[in-house]
Amino acid sequence: MAKIGINLVTGSLQKDEIIVGIDLGTTNSLVAIIHPETKKPIVLKEHDESSLVPSVIYFDEYGNPVVGSAAKAYLETAPERTIFSAKRLMGKTYRDLGNASLFSYKIIDDNTDSLVKVKVDDRFYSPIELSSFILKELKLRAEHILKTPVTKAVITVPAYFNDAQRQATRDAGKLAGIDVLRIVNEPTAASLAYGMGVGKSDDVQTIAVYDLGGGTFDISILRIVDGVFEVLSTNGDTYLGGDDFDKCIVQHWAEQHKITFEELSANKILTQGLRLKAEAAKKYLSDSDIYEDELNGLSLILTKGEFELLIEPLVSKTIDCCNKALKDAGLNKSEIDNVVMVGGSTRVPLVKHSVSEYFDRKVNDSVNPDEVVALGAAIQADILAGNNKEVLLLDITPLSLGIETAGGLMDVLIPRNAKIPSKASRQYTTQIDGQSGMRISVFQGERDLVKDNRKLAEFNLTNIPGMPAGLPKVEVGFLINADGILTVTAKELRSGVEQRIEVKPQYGLTDDQIEKMLMDSITFAKEDILQRALAEARTEGEQLLKTTENFLQKNSALIYNDELLQTAAGMQALQLAITMEDKNLIQRKIEELNDISRPYAERIMDQAISKAMAGKKI
Ligand code: ADP
Ligand code: MG
């Protein structure tokens, strides 16, 4: 497997370097490489196992992550500590998520504009960390199979991923100890696996990539000109996939056996069992006409016809999305040269037929749809390693990039669809006499007002020498590197003095931050939890003091003197504990005060109840 290649990204010549291709999927993830002898892409797998690693993370009671099939088993039985679909959270704020209740685990944040975190027990995990656990597992497996260290990779992301989400994916790689050489669009990778855009061809090709996975549906319209992949449009549904097919089947069987929704929610073992059988039935029906099995005496039967009736509305929805994507790309169906099928759920014959019928052509489905994205990533990795010199693979910016100017307007520096890498700069000036600082806010999006676009970062250019308004010349430079990642610089030209720029990215992380995060996740997590626990204990203590005081005031006539004295002492002790930094002390004093007041509180309550009941018949 030893290779010598020139790394086009670092420019360095490296020996023994393997660059793997990784499909980091919402449902399943996998790794592929180019076979050293056949030069064909292959997925990595242990002899008797599947190449697919379920993108599921279960945290055991000590907080240790378990990734893959072993974790999947806990989805129904320990939903609050089993994380799935972490990819949907990448680079997202709480506000972006809209409906966090669709997740069975806890998603939290402290303010709507900061990135979400997931809480399991007392630990907080960012989606970046969660994805890094999956990547770490993939890395370990690859190293085990290849018997050599794996530290470099190409990772794929959906075409609609914005800068924050791409950056988050790259950061997850870093956290996992992987140098992410390139982030590639999933539909681009899939097209590559079919040999599209590879080799010499002057033809312009237009491709529709239909990707129906476990939980998401994406349709992307691509155009390839001279080896350059351009994303013309994307559409889809981030909550539609094979899991929904499974749910339809579970519902169908539950209805047949008169199992209510309440029974299903209460009996997780039964639901888990049915869900697994439903997935098995669905897969079986991709090649057969009738499925028959049983579960604890329940007979489970499903014909292909019944299954198709169940999922027909879902399949129709995907076709509607295709229609919209074509419209957005300004194309007719007849202008599509190739349709590429991606994702495990495209094995369902009804899906294949519907897509083929809609586009009115035979679809490309000869490459395993679970593997096609990873295989394409491996081809891209090989190109980066310098082994495949025939292709010059370029990507294109999915959204325009610019800065905010007076009045909250978006001033675009790099337009949408610019070839990557790309560079642009523009000069700006001050609005106030003697203005010494300038805030530069970077946005991504197509709208005229920045408030409708997405803020990527904010800069402060400081120490501009005093000049009348309009005189300083501030040059703002944008540079997008080969991964589609943006660096922004700002410089005051007239003063000739190099200005110091403070960069405060709101999304994405610097190398140092990543390293710090790694450490913080170990050290600060504890501190955060302690701080939070202390604050909670204090609040609880204060509340108890207040309620005790109220109770004493209302019922003083019914409490004995020694009880009053003891209570006063207990309250004083609690008050003192609250001023100290020890949550255990506070909790002890809370307990003690409760122990003191419990006997008389119960006595008084009993009296009140019997009084209230007096004269009433039950
Ligand atoms: P993702 O890209 O979201 O990670 P995948 O492409 O791996 O997902 O697709 C996973 C989905 O494909 C699951 O819902 C799985 O049940 C479904 N699937 C896998 N094999 C088959 C099959 N033979 N027939 C129907 N569905 C299948
Ligand atoms: Mg996928």
Side-chain angles (χ1 to χ4, degrees):
M1 194 65 44
K3 275 194 217 166
I4 298 179
I6 297 173
N7 183 328
L8 294 186
V9 173
T10 61
S12 59
L13 192 71
Q14 275 152 318
K15 263 189 199 173
D16 289 326
E17 159 171 72
I18 289 180
I19 309 177
V20 299
I22 297 180
D23 172 4
L24 182 60
T26 311
T27 316
N28 295 305
S29 299
L30 66 160
V31 185
I33 58 158
I34 298 294
H35 192 281
E37 273 118 48
T38 65
K39 308 287 177 211
K40 294 247 154 46
I42 50 159
V43 296
L44 293 182
K45 60 176 175 187
E46 301 279 6
H47 288 304
D48 45 355
E49 279 176 36
S50 161
S51 60
L52 303 181
V53 177
S55 306
V56 182
I57 308 146
Y58 164 75
F59 290 99
D60 71 13
E61 56 192 301
Y62 307 106
N64 299 318
V66 177
V67 176
S69 315
K72 208 175 163 185
Y74 292 100
L75 270 177
E76 298 280 352
T77 53
E80 65 293 334
R81 47 199 316 121
T82 311
I83 315 301
F84 62 96
S85 295
K87 185 171 174 180
R88 288 199 182 120
L89 307 177
M90 287 294 254
K92 294 266 170 105
T93 65
Y94 209 62
R95 193 199 309 233
D96 289 335
L97 275 187
N99 195 353
S101 64
L102 286 170
F103 296 84
S104 53
Y105 44 86
K106 259 202 190 123
I107 298 176
I108 56 134
D109 78 334
D110 30 29
N111 117 26
T112 45
D113 279 328
S114 66
L115 298 176
V116 294
K117 284 211 163 82
V118 164
K119 186 171 184 235
V120 177
D121 290 336
D122 281 339
R123 278 208 59 181
F124 299 91
Y125 301 94
S126 68
I128 296 176
E129 271 179 282
L130 294 169
S131 297
S132 82
F133 293 136
I134 298 169
L135 289 171
K136 244 179 241 167
E137 175 73 19
L138 295 175
K139 176 174 145 85
L140 279 178
R141 282 182 189 225
E143 287 174 339
H144 187 248
I145 295 166
L146 296 171
K147 311 223 167 359
T148 174
V150 171
T151 60
K152 291 182 158 60
V154 166
I155 302 183
T156 57
V157 297
Y160 61 78
F161 256 31
N162 63 27
D163 201 72
Q165 293 170 303
R166 284 164 200 265
Q167 188 73 53
T169 305
R170 163 171 277 273
D171 291 344
K174 267 188 224 161
L175 263 186
I178 297 171
D179 187 6
V180 183
L181 298 185
R182 181 80 62 101
I183 299 282
V184 178
N185 289 331
E186 285 161 12
T188 300
S191 308
L192 273 178
Y194 275 100
M196 297 164 189
V198 186
K200 292 195 173 75
S201 158
D202 298 335
D203 292 354
V204 175
Q205 279 193 79
T206 312
I207 302 169
V209 182
Y210 179 102
D211 182 350
L212 190 59
T216 55
F217 168 64
D218 300 321
I219 170 79
S220 315
I221 311 290
L222 309 181
R223 180 183 284 152
I224 315 176
V225 187
D226 296 333
V228 178
F229 283 74
E230 180 183 0
V231 179
L232 296 182
S233 67
T234 63
N235 208 294
D237 187 334
T238 46
Y239 291 95
L240 174 60
D243 296 348
D244 299 294
F245 293 0
D246 304 347
K247 272 181 217 148
C248 287
I249 300 175
V250 171
Q251 254 164 25
H252 173 75
W253 283 338
E255 270 165 34
Q256 268 185 347
H257 293 288
K258 310 221 173 346
I259 303 169
T260 63
F261 178 74
E262 286 70 29
E263 280 172 87
L264 277 182
S265 331
N267 190 343
K268 285 176 178 161
I269 307 283
L270 174 68
T271 312
Q272 165 113 308
L274 284 175
R275 190 80 64 86
L276 290 174
K277 291 286 185 195
E279 189 178 4
K282 171 187 75 176
K283 289 183 178 171
Y284 189 76
L285 291 175
S286 287
D287 304 298
S288 315
D289 291 325
I290 180 159
Y291 173 88
E292 281 178 274
D293 201 350
E294 62 165 295
L295 181 72
N296 306 334
L298 291 179
S299 96
L300 304 176
I301 301 176
L302 190 68
T303 66
K304 193 169 179 172
E306 287 169 334
F307 173 57
E308 293 186 340
L309 268 177
L310 290 174
I311 63 164
E312 203 281 322
L314 299 174
V315 179
S316 285
K317 251 184 168 176
T318 69
I319 300 296
D320 290 344
C321 294
C322 295
N323 219 349
K324 285 186 197 137
L326 274 182
K327 207 178 253 168
D328 287 348
L331 294 173
N332 287 322
K333 285 190 234 177
S334 60
E335 290 172 280
I336 299 292
D337 300 310
N338 281 302
V339 180
V340 171
M341 300 298 266
V342 181
S345 301
T346 60
R347 286 221 184 77
V348 173
L350 179 70
V351 171
K352 238 182 254 187
H353 291 157
S354 305
V355 176
S356 172
E357 197 169 68
Y358 172 75
F359 284 102
D360 195 19
R361 71 190 54 240
K362 213 181 144 341
V363 297
N364 288 273
D365 61 356
S366 57
V367 180
N368 183 329
D370 302 320
E371 300 179 346
V372 63
V373 169
L375 295 172
I379 295 173
Q380 168 75 71
D382 200 44
I383 296 168
L384 285 180
N387 299 329
N388 186 343
K389 298 210 170 60
E390 274 184 33
V391 216
L392 173 69
L393 197 73
L394 292 172
D395 253 314
I396 260 169
T397 55
L399 294 166
S400 300
L401 294 158
I403 66 168
E404 176 176 1
T405 53
L409 290 176
M410 171 89 171
D411 194 29
V412 173
L413 273 96
I414 297 183
R416 178 172 178 271
N417 284 345
K419 279 181 193 169
I420 296 174
S422 189
K423 219 172 135 175
S425 64
R426 194 167 295 164
Q427 289 180 13
Y428 300 89
T429 190
T430 52
Q431 286 185 301
I432 304 169
D433 287 342
Q435 187 176 331
S436 69
M438 198 183 221
R439 169 173 301 195
I440 292 150
S441 306
V442 183
F443 286 83
Q444 180 176 41
E446 307 310 311
R447 308 280 295 272
D448 290 338
L449 293 176
V450 292
K451 74 170 175 53
D452 300 320
N453 292 330
R454 187 185 182 100
K455 189 189 261 177
L456 296 178
E458 208 158 61
F459 287 75
N460 265 323
L461 179 61
T462 54
N463 298 333
I464 299 174
M467 280 183 257
L471 216 55
K473 276 188 183 169
V474 175
E475 186 174 80
V476 176
F478 275 37
L479 173 73
I480 309 180
N481 70 9
D483 305 313
I485 289 174
L486 174 71
T487 318
V488 182
T489 54
K491 190 175 177 181
E492 204 289 304
L493 300 175
R494 201 174 282 278
S495 57
V497 183
E498 284 279 334
Q499 298 287 330
R500 243 176 55 103
I501 300 163
E502 227 178 290
V503 184
K504 285 186 196 145
Q506 294 192 330
Y507 299 101
L509 302 162
T510 64
D511 282 7
D512 289 351
Q513 282 172 316
I514 290 273
E515 237 167 73
K516 193 164 169 296
M517 247 181 80
L518 241 184
M519 298 309 294
D520 287 356
S521 64
I522 302 158
T523 49
F524 275 121
K526 255 187 214 139
E527 199 169 295
D528 287 353
I529 292 161
L530 285 180
Q531 281 304 328
R532 189 181 279 249
L534 180 63
E536 279 169 3
R538 281 184 174 146
T539 316
E540 195 186 333
E542 271 154 13
Q543 270 166 355
L544 180 63
L545 285 174
K546 221 181 268 164
T547 45
T548 311
E549 212 166 278
N550 285 344
F551 193 82
L552 291 182
Q553 261 171 23
K554 268 196 208 150
N555 304 290
S556 58
L558 303 168
I559 304 170
Y560 304 122
N561 245 344
D562 59 326
E563 287 173 334
L564 279 175
L565 284 174
Q566 272 185 31
T567 308
M571 287 175 73
Q572 208 166 20
L574 176 57
Q575 206 127 41
L576 184 66
I578 287 174
T579 64
M580 295 194 270
E581 302 287 310
D582 184 349
K583 91 161 205 275
N584 290 333
L585 182 70
I586 300 173
Q587 260 153 5
R588 257 202 325 273
K589 294 299 159 195
I590 289 174
E591 288 292 316
E592 282 173 21
L593 181 55
N594 273 327
D595 287 345
I596 296 169
S597 58
R598 192 172 299 117
Y600 63 78
E602 277 171 5
R603 193 178 66 224
I604 292 168
M605 295 298 270
D606 286 349
Q607 285 171 7
I609 290 169
S610 50
K611 213 166 152 192
M613 302 292 273
K616 285 194 184 139
K617 293 203 174 88
I618 301 173

